[in-house]
Amino acid sequence: MTEISNPDCLFCKIAAGTIPVKWLHEDGQILAFNDINPQAPVHVLLIPKQHFTSHAHTTAGDTAILGQLLATAREVAKAQGLANGYRLVINTGLDGGQTVEHLHVHLLGGRHLGWPPG
Ligand code: 5GP
Ligand code: ZN
């Protein structure tokens, strides 16, 4: 079940402006802002304004917003000067290490990133 906004959700509060952040990108559907605990010189979070608990909670009807998240990540990566490359991560659920239950894409860059992740 998808909700427009969940009053108990941290990223819904950020999307609603209740918790102010500096926007790196904002449009009708997507917001991008810096992670509070950066793991790389560039560490941006991209979120849909609509509440999805995780990537696994999206459905076949959500293809457009999923595509927009990836396309917006590309534009933010360009704007952040990540010409040498970057990494997009969507932690999902317990095994995925997700800690905030609102779908978000991590955009990481500005240093060489190791692989595999832990
Ligand atoms: P996850 O672990 O769910 O994939 O990622 C959640 C991310 O949200 C973490 O990287 C964490 O640092 C970030 N985060 C948690 N609380 C806040 C906050 O209040 N503001 C911002 N900007 N980032 C947050
Ligand atoms: Zn939410």
Side-chain angles (χ1 to χ4, degrees):
M1 178 68 72
T2 316
E3 302 164 62
I4 296 298
S5 179
N6 175 345
D8 298 325
C9 171
L10 173 67
F11 287 175
C12 280
K13 288 178 190 164
I14 287 177
T18 314
I19 297 174
V21 293
K22 183 187 160 198
W23 296 345
L24 301 176
H25 171 94
E26 193 273 335
D27 63 43
Q29 281 151 328
I30 291 172
L31 192 60
F33 52 92
N34 285 317
D35 195 292
I36 202 169
N37 182 23
Q39 302 300 312
V42 173
H43 188 170
V44 175
L45 299 174
L46 297 106
I47 65 169
K49 290 185 172 176
Q50 183 180 355
H51 180 86
F52 298 94
T53 299
S54 80
H55 182 261
H57 289 74
T58 62
T59 66
D62 301 317
T63 305
I65 187 68
L66 289 169
Q68 282 162 24
L69 278 167
L70 289 182
T72 304
R74 179 192 61 223
E75 297 310 310
V76 174
K78 267 189 215 160
Q80 294 287 313
L82 300 179
N84 283 338
Y86 53 87
R87 185 172 295 167
L88 302 178
V89 175
I90 305 177
N91 295 325
T92 302
L94 277 179
D95 278 1
Q98 183 177 1
T99 60
V100 176
E101 291 193 336
H102 179 126
L103 170 63
H104 51 282
V105 178
H106 296 258
L107 166 62
L108 296 147
R111 67 170 172 84
H112 182 77
L113 298 162
W115 190 264

